[in-house]
Amino acid sequence: QVPLLESGGGLVQPGGSLRLSCKVSGSTSNYFAILWIRQAPGKEPEGVSCIITGTGAPSYKDDFVKRRFTISRDNADNTVDLRISHVEPEDTGLYTCAADSQIFRRGMFDRCQLYPWEYDVRGQGTQVTVSS
């Protein structure tokens, strides 16, 4: 069974919006945090946003991302969504969700990290292409 399954990618026009969804097999409570990773063509993967599954506290790569990206989790449905508004060509890339299974971090950290290497479970990714 695939531990993490992404959906919602596709072709979108600049200025549009989309919602990416990460379905967690089992329960989001099995993980400390969920991270969305973006790999643009020819570039290294980068964490763009993460959320602590218990508290719902989000983190974003920078203020530019924060203005257009919204991460949320639904623990009842075991999903983590990433909404992107006013998409730009620079948003093009493979979006992968990743999970941090080190639940001992609960109570120790009030913010999740955006470093992909901190997350030990990966999905397969969903491609987003922004083009007119």
Side-chain angles (χ1 to χ4, degrees):
Q1 194 172 11
V2 178
L4 303 173
L5 183 63
E6 303 91 340
S7 62
L11 177 64
V12 60
Q13 291 188 341
S17 61
L18 73 160
R19 184 186 76 171
L20 305 180
S21 188
C22 176
K23 179 68 174 179
V24 178
S25 175
S27 173
T28 50
S29 64
N30 292 334
Y31 302 105
F32 168 67
I34 305 292
L35 171 73
W36 278 99
I37 301 167
R38 175 177 65 196
Q39 184 167 20
K43 295 188 177 180
E44 293 294 314
E46 61 177 351
V48 293
S49 183
C50 64
I51 190 166
I52 296 178
T53 60
T55 64
S59 294
Y60 297 94
K61 175 179 176 288
D62 51 41
D63 287 343
F64 180 69
V65 167
K66 188 176 181 179
R67 284 197 294 268
R68 299 186 299 114
F69 288 44
T70 302
I71 192 169
S72 62
R73 95 286 192 230
D74 183 337
N75 288 340
D77 194 39
N78 296 308
T79 56
V80 174
D81 287 351
L82 183 69
R83 288 176 168 82
I84 309 174
S85 61
H86 306 289
V87 296
E88 302 179 351
E90 291 73 22
D91 295 325
T92 294
L94 180 68
Y95 285 74
T96 303
C97 65
D100 178 357
S101 65
Q102 306 301 308
I103 59 175
F104 68 87
R105 299 185 204 272
R106 289 174 184 160
M108 296 178 62
F109 303 102
D110 59 3
R111 281 290 183 267
C112 46
Q113 297 297 320
L114 294 168
Y115 307 120
W117 58 83
E118 294 279 350
Y119 295 76
D120 52 337
V121 182
R122 289 277 196 281
Q124 295 297 309
T126 185
Q127 178 67 37
V128 171
T129 301
V130 182
S131 175
S132 55

